[in-house]
Amino acid sequence: MRHKIAKLNNHHVVCGYGRSGQEVINHFLLNDIPFVLIELNQEKARQAMEEGLLVLHGDASDDELLIQAQVTKASGIVCALSDDSANTFIALSARGLNEKIKIVCRAANPGSEAKMRRAGADMVISPYVICGKRMAAAVTHPLVTEFLDVVMHTPGYDLRMEQMTLAASSVLVGAALKDANIKQASGAMILAVNQNGKLMSNPSPDLVFQAGDDLIALGTEQQLKKLA
């Protein structure tokens, strides 16, 4: 297992095999995203190993263990422990080892968000806040909520959303959205564009694509492959 982990590159590190961590891992498995799990509880670590996962047993805030998980070569780390302090310390350690890594933290206490961001977290998610907003939306906009649930959480469903980055060699670079014929050529729809750090939803037809732009697109798997 350590030999397989040593070969990982551009993967994700998941810290914690609780309910949040398991949901993250289920998503990674469904989408064939490489990852390694770090779990302190010996019984949970053994269970994950028996399920065929790549697992390191120990404290995820330990620099040596993060290095064993190839965090220096990882593209992202998910701090999914139930302890906010532990997640904050993991974020601090991960940022110190990899300046470019994407760090996502779970926060049980909304007041912990500022500390986690200072420690290096790019995104902080509070399950209680998300749950409350989803419950409110389910009452006020039930059809929208049902649609998003079907698109994002139903395995094998035809529609999905994907994020992709424009390389400098892309034929879209320098072209305006209205002239790119993306819908006609691929069938996919551009929902948003992140350009120069600014996220633009429902982008203007006059938007000119630049190298490094992040596109958020909606379509079938085949349509998204054509767009890519």
Side-chain angles (χ1 to χ4, degrees):
M1 182 173 293
R2 290 185 182 276
H3 183 66
K4 291 180 180 179
I5 293 173
K7 290 184 177 181
L8 289 174
N9 186 41
N10 199 32
H11 59 293
H12 295 274
V13 180
V14 180
C15 304
Y17 198 51
R19 285 177 292 182
S20 297
Q22 288 176 22
E23 286 297 325
V24 172
I25 286 173
N26 288 339
H27 175 79
F28 286 169
L29 291 173
L30 185 64
N31 293 278
D32 295 321
I33 297 173
F35 68 91
V36 58
L37 168 68
I38 300 178
E39 172 56 52
L40 180 61
N41 182 280
Q42 188 169 6
E43 181 59 28
K44 287 184 178 180
R46 185 190 61 79
Q47 176 189 344
M49 289 178 188
E50 290 178 351
E51 293 172 1
L53 306 181
L54 294 179
V55 185
L56 289 173
H57 173 233
D59 185 352
S61 63
D62 182 356
D63 284 2
E64 281 300 319
L65 200 60
L66 287 173
I67 291 172
Q68 287 181 36
Q70 306 301 315
V71 74
T72 55
K73 298 188 294 182
S75 60
I77 182 169
V78 178
C79 308
L81 302 179
S82 58
D83 186 334
D84 287 1
S85 298
N87 287 332
T88 303
F89 201 74
I90 294 169
L92 184 65
S93 299
R95 181 62 70 207
L97 293 168
N98 185 341
E99 293 182 356
K100 296 181 179 179
I101 194 170
K102 183 79 173 180
I103 301 175
V104 178
C105 285
R106 176 190 188 275
N109 181 1
S112 300
E113 180 175 353
K115 293 180 181 178
M116 290 179 176
R117 289 192 178 277
R118 286 199 299 270
D122 298 288
M123 185 175 293
V124 179
I125 297 175
S126 171
Y128 305 110
V129 173
I130 295 293
C131 179
K133 289 181 178 179
R134 289 295 300 276
M135 291 176 73
V139 172
T140 57
H141 301 89
L143 190 58
V144 174
T145 304
E146 182 180 355
F147 171 75
L148 291 174
D149 278 342
V150 168
V151 171
M152 297 299 295
H153 305 296
T154 304
Y157 192 73
D158 202 28
L159 280 178
R160 56 192 296 186
M161 277 191 273
E162 286 286 353
Q163 173 184 328
M164 52 191 73
T165 302
L166 288 186
S169 59
S170 172
V171 296
L172 292 180
V173 174
L177 177 59
K178 63 183 178 182
D179 300 322
N181 296 320
I182 291 175
K183 177 67 175 176
Q184 295 86 341
S186 68
M189 292 187 296
I190 302 299
L191 301 180
V193 177
N194 184 21
Q195 189 173 83
N196 298 323
K198 181 180 179 182
L199 183 63
M200 295 169 281
S201 59
N202 192 23
S204 166
D206 296 320
L207 173 75
V208 177
F209 292 113
Q210 301 176 9
D213 285 357
D214 293 313
L215 311 183
I216 298 177
L218 175 70
T220 65
E221 184 174 1
Q222 184 176 6
Q223 290 170 343
L224 292 169
K225 284 183 178 179
K226 284 184 180 179
L227 176 59

